[in-house]
Amino acid sequence: MSSAREDILGRVRAALADVEPDREPVVAPRLAVRPAEEVVDLFAERVEDYRAIVERCTPEQLAGRVAAAVPPGASVVVPAGLSVDVAGAAVDDGTLTSADLDALDVVVTDARVGVAETGTIVLDHTAGMGRRALTLVPDRHVCIVRTEQVVADVPDALVLLDPARPLTWISGPSATSDIELDRVEGVHGPRTLHVILVG
């Protein structure tokens, strides 16, 4: 350890020497309780703000909406355990390489939870969501979110998630911008996020 680091840490330890740790858990600030319909509407609005495609459907319409979300001739991959059948899709068994995934156009997954306040979708990579690479490499991600999975805010989502699992938090298509603030999409993940909100 460098002497500068030891010096800084030593000062921090000295400053905290007489401080009793606070044993009470920190309570996250909560938003006002809203009706479930408003929470779902806010989720859809915030997801659209990120330039994602959002459409709503009934459970009976889901298979048709998923099929329509796949461009004609596109190659599709799905994780094992997906909640809907996708005609012609390859099922990822974990053996597809990054190059194999890069050659595929579309991935269709379920979601674990949707966060209305931030317009975020969370995947915990259990059945229906697959491994992390599956949702990061293909250029179009079609994600199925059920209205009962949508919660108001991040603290509501955290209580539903297993912190021991890998989690992917998705807020819109992958995007970055350079020093000129020119937005570039698809650099670190799918260029297109298509959310199908069911319920």
Side-chain angles (χ1 to χ4, degrees):
M1 185 182 306
S2 69
S3 61
R5 183 176 178 182
E6 288 177 19
D7 183 49
I8 292 169
L9 292 176
R11 289 182 192 177
V12 170
R13 288 187 191 103
L16 296 175
D18 298 333
V19 176
E20 286 294 321
D22 186 356
R23 303 288 182 203
E24 294 297 319
V26 176
V27 178
R30 307 308 299 268
L31 299 174
V33 176
R34 301 177 187 212
E37 282 184 19
E38 283 186 24
V39 172
V40 172
D41 289 345
L42 178 63
F43 173 74
E45 180 185 319
R46 294 285 163 88
V47 173
E48 284 178 328
D49 286 346
Y50 286 116
R51 301 186 189 180
I53 300 165
V54 180
E55 64 175 308
R56 297 180 181 206
C57 71
T58 65
E60 295 76 24
Q61 296 170 322
L62 177 59
R65 294 297 180 92
V66 169
V70 176
S75 53
V76 185
V77 63
V78 299
L82 185 69
S83 63
V84 64
D85 289 330
V86 180
V91 178
D92 179 46
D93 61 0
T95 61
L96 295 174
T97 65
S98 297
D100 295 333
L101 292 173
D102 194 39
L104 296 165
D105 302 309
V106 181
V107 59
V108 181
T109 72
D110 291 311
R112 176 67 182 92
V113 67
V115 182
E117 188 63 25
T118 60
T120 303
I121 296 161
V122 186
L123 311 180
D124 67 3
H125 303 286
T126 54
M129 289 166 260
R131 57 193 167 122
R132 184 171 285 178
L134 188 64
T135 58
L136 294 177
V137 180
D139 202 38
R140 175 180 291 256
H141 181 187
V142 178
C143 190
I144 301 165
V145 181
R146 298 174 193 279
T147 55
E148 62 268 22
Q149 294 177 305
V150 178
V151 297
D153 205 357
V154 172
D156 301 311
L158 291 176
V159 298
L160 300 174
L161 299 170
D162 180 353
R165 294 205 54 79
L167 302 172
T168 301
W169 297 64
I170 302 168
S171 296
S174 169
T176 189
S177 48
D178 61 17
I179 196 167
E180 301 291 329
L181 300 180
D182 292 327
R183 182 180 166 104
V184 179
E185 296 181 343
V187 177
H188 308 294
R191 190 185 329 253
T192 303
L193 176 64
H194 188 141
V195 176
I196 300 179
L197 195 49
V198 187

Coordinates of all heavy atoms in Angstrom, one line a residue, residues 95-170:
T95 N -24.4 -22.9 -25.0 CA -23.2 -23.2 -25.8 C -23.0 -22.2 -26.9 O -21.9 -22.3 -27.5 CB -23.4 -24.6 -26.4 OG1 -24.5 -24.7 -27.2 CG2 -23.5 -25.7 -25.3
L96 N -23.9 -21.3 -27.1 CA -23.7 -20.3 -28.2 C -22.5 -19.4 -27.8 O -22.5 -18.8 -26.7 CB -24.9 -19.5 -28.5 CG -26.1 -20.3 -29.0 CD1 -27.4 -19.4 -29.1 CD2 -25.8 -20.9 -30.4
T97 N -21.6 -19.2 -28.7 CA -20.5 -18.3 -28.4 C -20.9 -16.8 -28.6 O -22.0 -16.6 -29.2 CB -19.3 -18.6 -29.3 OG1 -19.7 -18.3 -30.6 CG2 -18.9 -20.1 -29.2
S98 N -20.0 -15.9 -28.2 CA -20.3 -14.5 -28.5 C -20.5 -14.3 -30.0 O -21.3 -13.5 -30.4 CB -19.2 -13.6 -28.0 OG -19.1 -13.7 -26.6
A99 N -19.7 -15.0 -30.8 CA -19.8 -14.8 -32.3 C -21.1 -15.4 -32.8 O -21.7 -14.8 -33.6 CB -18.6 -15.5 -32.9
D100 N -21.5 -16.5 -32.2 CA -22.8 -17.1 -32.5 C -24.0 -16.1 -32.2 O -24.9 -15.8 -33.0 CB -23.1 -18.4 -31.8 CG -22.2 -19.5 -32.2 OD1 -21.6 -19.5 -33.3 OD2 -21.9 -20.4 -31.3
L101 N -23.9 -15.5 -31.0 CA -24.9 -14.5 -30.6 C -24.9 -13.3 -31.4 O -25.9 -12.7 -31.8 CB -24.7 -14.2 -29.1 CG -25.0 -15.3 -28.1 CD1 -24.6 -14.8 -26.7 CD2 -26.5 -15.7 -28.1
D102 N -23.7 -12.9 -31.8 CA -23.6 -11.7 -32.7 C -24.2 -11.9 -34.0 O -24.6 -10.9 -34.7 CB -22.1 -11.3 -32.8 CG -21.9 -9.9 -33.3 OD1 -22.7 -9.0 -32.9 OD2 -21.0 -9.7 -34.1
A103 N -24.3 -13.1 -34.5 CA -24.8 -13.4 -35.8 C -26.4 -13.4 -35.7 O -27.0 -13.5 -36.8 CB -24.3 -14.7 -36.3
L104 N -26.9 -13.4 -34.5 CA -28.4 -13.4 -34.4 C -28.9 -12.0 -34.3 O -28.3 -11.1 -33.8 CB -28.8 -14.2 -33.1 CG -28.4 -15.7 -33.2 CD1 -28.4 -16.3 -31.8 CD2 -29.3 -16.4 -34.1
D105 N -30.1 -11.8 -34.9 CA -30.7 -10.5 -34.9 C -31.5 -10.1 -33.7 O -31.5 -8.9 -33.3 CB -31.6 -10.4 -36.2 CG -30.9 -10.7 -37.5 OD1 -29.8 -10.1 -37.7 OD2 -31.4 -11.5 -38.2
V106 N -32.2 -11.0 -33.1 CA -33.2 -10.6 -32.1 C -33.1 -11.6 -30.9 O -32.9 -12.8 -31.2 CB -34.6 -10.7 -32.7 CG1 -35.7 -10.3 -31.6 CG2 -34.8 -9.8 -33.9
V107 N -33.3 -11.1 -29.7 CA -33.5 -12.0 -28.6 C -34.8 -11.6 -27.9 O -35.2 -10.4 -27.9 CB -32.3 -11.9 -27.5 CG1 -32.2 -10.4 -27.0 CG2 -32.6 -12.8 -26.4
V108 N -35.6 -12.6 -27.5 CA -36.9 -12.4 -26.8 C -36.7 -12.9 -25.4 O -36.3 -14.1 -25.2 CB -38.0 -13.1 -27.5 CG1 -39.3 -12.8 -26.8 CG2 -38.1 -12.6 -29.0
T109 N -37.0 -12.1 -24.4 CA -36.9 -12.6 -23.0 C -38.1 -12.1 -22.2 O -38.9 -11.2 -22.6 CB -35.7 -12.0 -22.3 OG1 -35.9 -10.6 -22.0 CG2 -34.4 -12.3 -23.1
D110 N -38.3 -12.7 -21.1 CA -39.2 -12.2 -20.1 C -38.4 -11.3 -19.2 O -37.2 -11.1 -19.4 CB -39.7 -13.4 -19.2 CG -40.6 -14.3 -19.9 OD1 -41.6 -13.8 -20.6 OD2 -40.4 -15.6 -19.9
A111 N -39.1 -10.6 -18.2 CA -38.4 -9.7 -17.3 C -38.8 -10.2 -15.9 O -39.7 -10.9 -15.7 CB -38.9 -8.3 -17.5
R112 N -38.0 -9.7 -14.9 CA -38.3 -10.0 -13.5 C -39.1 -9.0 -12.9 O -40.0 -9.2 -12.1 CB -36.9 -10.2 -12.7 CG -37.1 -10.4 -11.2 CD -37.8 -11.8 -11.0 NE -38.0 -12.0 -9.5 CZ -39.1 -11.6 -8.9 NH1 -40.1 -11.1 -9.5 NH2 -39.2 -11.8 -7.6
V113 N -38.8 -7.7 -13.2 CA -39.5 -6.6 -12.6 C -39.3 -5.4 -13.5 O -38.3 -5.2 -14.2 CB -39.1 -6.3 -11.1 CG1 -37.6 -5.8 -11.1 CG2 -40.0 -5.4 -10.4
G114 N -40.3 -4.5 -13.5 CA -40.2 -3.2 -14.2 C -40.4 -2.1 -13.1 O -41.2 -2.2 -12.2
V115 N -39.5 -1.0 -13.2 CA -39.5 0.1 -12.3 C -40.1 1.3 -13.0 O -39.5 1.8 -13.9 CB -38.1 0.3 -11.8 CG1 -38.1 1.4 -10.7 CG2 -37.5 -0.9 -11.2
A116 N -41.3 1.8 -12.5 CA -42.0 2.9 -13.1 C -41.2 4.2 -13.1 O -41.1 4.9 -14.1 CB -43.4 3.0 -12.5
E117 N -40.7 4.5 -11.9 CA -40.1 5.8 -11.7 C -38.9 6.0 -12.6 O -38.7 7.1 -13.1 CB -39.7 6.0 -10.2 CG -39.2 7.4 -9.9 CD -40.3 8.5 -10.0 OE1 -41.5 8.2 -10.0 OE2 -39.9 9.7 -10.3
T118 N -38.2 5.0 -12.9 CA -36.9 5.1 -13.7 C -37.1 4.5 -15.1 O -36.2 4.6 -15.9 CB -35.8 4.4 -13.0 OG1 -36.1 3.0 -12.8 CG2 -35.5 5.0 -11.7
G119 N -38.2 3.9 -15.4 CA -38.4 3.3 -16.7 C -37.4 2.1 -16.9 O -37.0 1.9 -18.0
T120 N -37.1 1.4 -15.9 CA -36.1 0.4 -15.9 C -36.7 -1.0 -15.9 O -37.7 -1.3 -15.2 CB -35.1 0.6 -14.7 OG1 -34.6 1.9 -14.8 CG2 -34.0 -0.5 -14.7
I121 N -36.1 -1.9 -16.6 CA -36.5 -3.3 -16.6 C -35.3 -4.1 -16.0 O -34.1 -3.8 -16.3 CB -36.7 -3.8 -18.0 CG1 -37.9 -3.1 -18.7 CG2 -36.9 -5.4 -18.1 CD1 -37.9 -3.2 -20.2
V122 N -35.6 -5.0 -15.1 CA -34.6 -5.8 -14.4 C -34.8 -7.2 -14.8 O -35.9 -7.8 -14.7 CB -34.7 -5.6 -12.9 CG1 -33.5 -6.3 -12.2 CG2 -34.7 -4.2 -12.5
L123 N -33.6 -7.8 -15.2 CA -33.6 -9.3 -15.5 C -32.7 -9.9 -14.4 O -31.7 -9.4 -14.1 CB -33.0 -9.5 -16.8 CG -33.5 -8.7 -18.0 CD1 -32.7 -9.2 -19.3 CD2 -35.0 -8.9 -18.2
D124 N -33.2 -11.0 -13.9 CA -32.4 -11.8 -12.9 C -31.8 -13.1 -13.4 O -31.2 -13.8 -12.7 CB -33.1 -12.0 -11.6 CG -34.3 -13.0 -11.7 OD1 -34.5 -13.5 -12.8 OD2 -35.0 -13.2 -10.7
H125 N -32.0 -13.2 -14.7 CA -31.4 -14.3 -15.5 C -31.8 -15.7 -15.0 O -31.0 -16.7 -15.0 CB -29.9 -14.2 -15.5 CG -29.5 -12.8 -16.2 ND1 -29.7 -12.6 -17.5 CD2 -29.2 -11.6 -15.6 CE1 -29.4 -11.3 -17.8 NE2 -29.1 -10.7 -16.6
T126 N -33.0 -15.8 -14.5 CA -33.6 -17.1 -14.2 C -34.3 -17.6 -15.5 O -34.1 -17.0 -16.6 CB -34.6 -17.0 -13.0 OG1 -35.5 -16.0 -13.3 CG2 -33.8 -16.7 -11.7
A127 N -35.2 -18.6 -15.4 CA -35.9 -19.1 -16.6 C -36.6 -18.0 -17.3 O -37.2 -17.1 -16.6 CB -36.9 -20.2 -16.1
G128 N -36.5 -18.0 -18.6 CA -37.2 -17.0 -19.4 C -36.3 -15.8 -19.7 O -36.7 -14.9 -20.5
M129 N -35.2 -15.7 -19.0 CA -34.4 -14.5 -19.2 C -33.0 -14.9 -19.7 O -32.3 -14.0 -20.3 CB -34.3 -13.7 -17.9 CG -35.6 -13.0 -17.5 SD -35.6 -12.4 -15.9 CE -36.6 -13.6 -15.1
G130 N -32.6 -16.1 -19.4 CA -31.3 -16.6 -19.9 C -30.1 -15.9 -19.3 O -30.2 -15.1 -18.4
R131 N -28.9 -16.2 -19.9 CA -27.7 -15.6 -19.3 C -27.5 -14.2 -19.8 O -28.1 -13.8 -20.8 CB -26.5 -16.5 -19.7 CG -26.4 -16.7 -21.2 CD -25.4 -17.8 -21.6 NE -25.5 -18.2 -23.0 CZ -24.5 -18.1 -23.8 NH1 -23.3 -17.7 -23.5 NH2 -24.7 -18.5 -25.1
R132 N -26.6 -13.5 -19.2 CA -26.5 -12.1 -19.4 C -26.1 -11.8 -20.9 O -26.6 -10.9 -21.5 CB -25.5 -11.5 -18.5 CG -25.3 -10.0 -18.6 CD -24.5 -9.4 -17.5 NE -25.2 -9.4 -16.3 CZ -24.7 -9.0 -15.1 NH1 -23.5 -8.6 -15.1 NH2 -25.5 -8.9 -14.0
A133 N -25.2 -12.6 -21.4 CA -24.7 -12.3 -22.8 C -25.8 -12.4 -23.8 O -25.8 -11.7 -24.8 CB -23.6 -13.3 -23.1
L134 N -26.8 -13.2 -23.5 CA -27.9 -13.4 -24.4 C -28.7 -12.1 -24.6 O -29.2 -11.8 -25.7 CB -28.9 -14.5 -23.8 CG -30.0 -14.9 -24.7 CD1 -29.4 -15.6 -26.0 CD2 -30.9 -15.9 -23.9
T135 N -28.7 -11.3 -23.6 CA -29.5 -10.0 -23.7 C -28.6 -8.8 -24.1 O -29.1 -7.7 -24.2 CB -30.3 -9.7 -22.4 OG1 -29.3 -9.6 -21.4 CG2 -31.3 -10.8 -22.1
L136 N -27.3 -9.0 -24.2 CA -26.5 -7.9 -24.5 C -25.9 -7.9 -25.9 O -25.5 -6.9 -26.5 CB -25.3 -7.9 -23.5 CG -25.6 -7.6 -22.1 CD1 -24.4 -7.7 -21.2 CD2 -26.3 -6.3 -21.9
V137 N -25.9 -9.1 -26.6 CA -25.2 -9.2 -27.9 C -26.2 -9.0 -29.1 O -25.9 -8.1 -29.9 CB -24.4 -10.5 -28.0 CG1 -23.7 -10.6 -29.3 CG2 -23.4 -10.6 -26.9
P138 N -27.3 -9.7 -29.2 CA -28.2 -9.4 -30.4 C -28.6 -7.9 -30.4 O -28.8 -7.3 -29.3 CB -29.3 -10.4 -30.1 CG -28.8 -11.5 -29.3 CD -27.8 -10.8 -28.4
D139 N -28.8 -7.4 -31.6 CA -29.1 -6.0 -31.8 C -30.5 -5.5 -31.4 O -30.7 -4.3 -31.2 CB -28.8 -5.6 -33.2 CG -28.5 -4.1 -33.4 OD1 -27.8 -3.6 -32.5 OD2 -29.0 -3.5 -34.3
R140 N -31.4 -6.4 -31.3 CA -32.8 -6.1 -30.9 C -33.2 -7.0 -29.8 O -33.1 -8.2 -29.8 CB -33.7 -6.3 -32.1 CG -35.2 -6.0 -31.7 CD -36.1 -6.3 -33.0 NE -35.9 -5.2 -33.9 CZ -36.8 -4.2 -34.1 NH1 -37.9 -4.1 -33.4 NH2 -36.5 -3.3 -35.1
H141 N -33.7 -6.3 -28.7 CA -34.2 -7.1 -27.5 C -35.7 -6.8 -27.4 O -36.1 -5.7 -27.2 CB -33.5 -6.6 -26.3 CG -33.8 -7.3 -25.0 ND1 -33.4 -6.9 -23.8 CD2 -34.6 -8.4 -24.8 CE1 -33.9 -7.7 -22.9 NE2 -34.6 -8.6 -23.4
V142 N -36.4 -7.9 -27.5 CA -37.9 -7.8 -27.3 C -38.1 -8.4 -25.9 O -37.8 -9.5 -25.6 CB -38.7 -8.7 -28.3 CG1 -40.2 -8.6 -28.0 CG2 -38.4 -8.2 -29.7
C143 N -38.6 -7.5 -25.0 CA -38.7 -7.9 -23.6 C -40.2 -7.9 -23.2 O -40.9 -6.9 -23.4 CB -37.9 -7.0 -22.7 SG -37.8 -7.5 -21.0
I144 N -40.7 -9.0 -22.6 CA -42.0 -9.1 -22.1 C -42.1 -8.7 -20.6 O -41.4 -9.3 -19.8 CB -42.5 -10.6 -22.3 CG1 -42.4 -11.0 -23.8 CG2 -43.9 -10.7 -21.8 CD1 -42.5 -12.4 -24.0
V145 N -42.9 -7.7 -20.3 CA -43.1 -7.3 -19.0 C -44.6 -7.4 -18.7 O -45.4 -6.9 -19.4 CB -42.6 -5.9 -18.7 CG1 -42.8 -5.4 -17.3 CG2 -41.2 -5.7 -19.2
R146 N -45.0 -8.0 -17.6 CA -46.4 -8.2 -17.2 C -46.7 -7.0 -16.2 O -45.9 -6.7 -15.4 CB -46.7 -9.5 -16.6 CG -46.4 -10.6 -17.7 CD -46.5 -12.0 -17.2 NE -45.9 -12.9 -18.2 CZ -46.5 -13.3 -19.3 NH1 -47.7 -12.9 -19.6 NH2 -45.9 -14.1 -20.2
T147 N -47.9 -6.5 -16.4 CA -48.3 -5.4 -15.6 C -48.1 -5.6 -14.1 O -47.8 -4.7 -13.3 CB -49.7 -4.9 -15.9 OG1 -50.6 -6.0 -15.7 CG2 -49.9 -4.4 -17.3
E148 N -48.4 -6.8 -13.6 CA -48.2 -7.1 -12.2 C -46.8 -7.1 -11.8 O -46.5 -7.2 -10.6 CB -48.9 -8.5 -11.9 CG -48.4 -9.7 -12.5 CD -49.1 -10.0 -13.8 OE1 -49.7 -9.1 -14.4 OE2 -49.0 -11.2 -14.3
Q149 N -45.8 -7.1 -12.7 CA -44.4 -7.1 -12.4 C -43.9 -5.6 -12.2 O -42.8 -5.4 -11.8 CB -43.6 -7.7 -13.5 CG -43.8 -9.2 -13.6 CD -43.0 -9.8 -14.7 OE1 -43.1 -9.3 -15.9 NE2 -42.2 -10.8 -14.4
V150 N -44.7 -4.6 -12.5 CA -44.3 -3.3 -12.5 C -44.5 -2.7 -11.1 O -45.6 -2.8 -10.5 CB -45.1 -2.4 -13.5 CG1 -44.6 -0.9 -13.5 CG2 -44.9 -2.9 -14.9
V151 N -43.4 -2.1 -10.6 CA -43.5 -1.5 -9.2 C -43.2 0.0 -9.4 O -42.7 0.4 -10.4 CB -42.5 -2.2 -8.3 CG1 -42.8 -3.7 -8.0 CG2 -41.0 -2.0 -8.8
A152 N -43.5 0.7 -8.3 CA -43.3 2.2 -8.4 C -41.9 2.6 -8.5 O -41.6 3.5 -9.3 CB -44.1 2.8 -7.2
D153 N -41.0 2.1 -7.6 CA -39.7 2.7 -7.5 C -38.6 1.6 -7.2 O -39.0 0.5 -6.9 CB -39.7 3.8 -6.5 CG -38.6 4.8 -6.7 OD1 -37.8 4.7 -7.6 OD2 -38.5 5.8 -5.9
V154 N -37.4 2.0 -7.2 CA -36.3 1.1 -7.0 C -36.4 0.4 -5.7 O -36.2 -0.9 -5.7 CB -34.9 1.8 -7.2 CG1 -33.8 1.0 -6.8 CG2 -34.8 2.3 -8.6
P155 N -36.7 1.0 -4.6 CA -36.8 0.3 -3.3 C -37.8 -0.9 -3.4 O -37.7 -1.9 -2.8 CB -37.2 1.3 -2.3 CG -36.7 2.6 -2.8 CD -36.8 2.5 -4.3
D156 N -38.9 -0.6 -4.1 CA -39.9 -1.7 -4.3 C -39.4 -2.8 -5.1 O -39.7 -4.0 -4.9 CB -41.2 -1.1 -5.0 CG -41.8 0.1 -4.3 OD1 -42.0 -0.1 -3.0 OD2 -42.0 1.1 -4.9
A157 N -38.5 -2.5 -6.0 CA -37.9 -3.6 -6.9 C -36.9 -4.4 -6.1 O -36.8 -5.6 -6.2 CB -37.2 -3.0 -8.1
L158 N -36.1 -3.7 -5.2 CA -35.0 -4.4 -4.5 C -35.5 -5.5 -3.6 O -34.9 -6.5 -3.4 CB -34.2 -3.3 -3.7 CG -33.4 -2.4 -4.6 CD1 -32.7 -1.4 -3.7 CD2 -32.4 -3.1 -5.4
V159 N -36.7 -5.3 -3.0 CA -37.2 -6.3 -2.1 C -37.7 -7.5 -2.9 O -37.8 -8.6 -2.3 CB -38.4 -5.8 -1.2 CG1 -37.9 -4.6 -0.3 CG2 -39.6 -5.4 -2.1
L160 N -37.8 -7.4 -4.2 CA -38.3 -8.6 -5.0 C -37.1 -9.3 -5.6 O -37.3 -10.4 -6.2 CB -39.2 -8.1 -6.1 CG -40.5 -7.4 -5.7 CD1 -41.2 -6.8 -6.9 CD2 -41.4 -8.4 -4.9
L161 N -35.9 -8.7 -5.5 CA -34.7 -9.3 -6.2 C -33.8 -10.0 -5.2 O -33.7 -9.6 -4.1 CB -34.0 -8.2 -6.9 CG -34.8 -7.4 -8.0 CD1 -34.0 -6.2 -8.4 CD2 -35.1 -8.3 -9.1
D162 N -33.2 -11.1 -5.7 CA -32.2 -11.8 -4.9 C -30.8 -11.2 -5.2 O -30.3 -11.3 -6.3 CB -32.2 -13.3 -5.4 CG -31.2 -14.1 -4.7 OD1 -30.4 -13.6 -3.9 OD2 -31.2 -15.4 -4.9
P163 N -30.2 -10.6 -4.2 CA -28.9 -9.9 -4.4 C -27.8 -10.9 -4.7 O -26.8 -10.4 -5.2 CB -28.7 -9.2 -3.1 CG -29.5 -9.9 -2.1 CD -30.7 -10.4 -2.8
A164 N -28.0 -12.1 -4.5 CA -27.0 -13.1 -4.8 C -27.0 -13.5 -6.3 O -26.1 -14.1 -6.8 CB -27.2 -14.4 -4.0
R165 N -28.0 -13.1 -7.0 CA -28.1 -13.4 -8.5 C -27.5 -12.3 -9.3 O -27.6 -11.1 -8.9 CB -29.6 -13.6 -8.9 CG -30.3 -14.8 -8.2 CD -31.4 -15.3 -9.1 NE -31.0 -15.5 -10.5 CZ -30.3 -16.7 -10.8 NH1 -30.1 -17.6 -10.0 NH2 -30.0 -16.8 -12.1
P166 N -27.0 -12.6 -10.5 CA -26.6 -11.5 -11.4 C -27.9 -10.8 -11.9 O -28.9 -11.4 -12.2 CB -26.0 -12.3 -12.5 CG -26.5 -13.6 -12.5 CD -26.9 -13.9 -11.1
L167 N -27.8 -9.5 -11.8 CA -29.0 -8.7 -12.2 C -28.5 -7.8 -13.4 O -27.5 -7.2 -13.4 CB -29.5 -7.8 -11.1 CG -29.9 -8.6 -9.8 CD1 -30.2 -7.6 -8.7 CD2 -31.1 -9.4 -10.1
T168 N -29.4 -7.6 -14.4 CA -29.2 -6.7 -15.4 C -30.3 -5.6 -15.4 O -31.5 -6.0 -15.5 CB -29.2 -7.4 -16.8 OG1 -28.1 -8.4 -16.8 CG2 -28.9 -6.4 -17.9
W169 N -29.9 -4.4 -15.2 CA -30.9 -3.3 -15.2 C -30.8 -2.6 -16.5 O -29.8 -2.1 -16.9 CB -30.5 -2.3 -14.0 CG -30.6 -2.9 -12.7 CD1 -29.8 -3.9 -12.2 CD2 -31.5 -2.6 -11.6 NE1 -30.2 -4.2 -10.9 CE2 -31.2 -3.4 -10.5 CE3 -32.5 -1.6 -11.5 CZ2 -31.9 -3.3 -9.3 CZ3 -33.2 -1.5 -10.3 CH2 -32.9 -2.4 -9.2
I170 N -32.0 -2.5 -17.2 CA -32.0 -2.0 -18.6 C -32.9 -0.7 -18.6 O -34.1 -0.8 -18.3 CB -32.6 -3.0 -19.5 CG1 -31.7 -4.3 -19.5 CG2 -32.7 -2.4 -20.9 CD1 -32.3 -5.5 -20.2

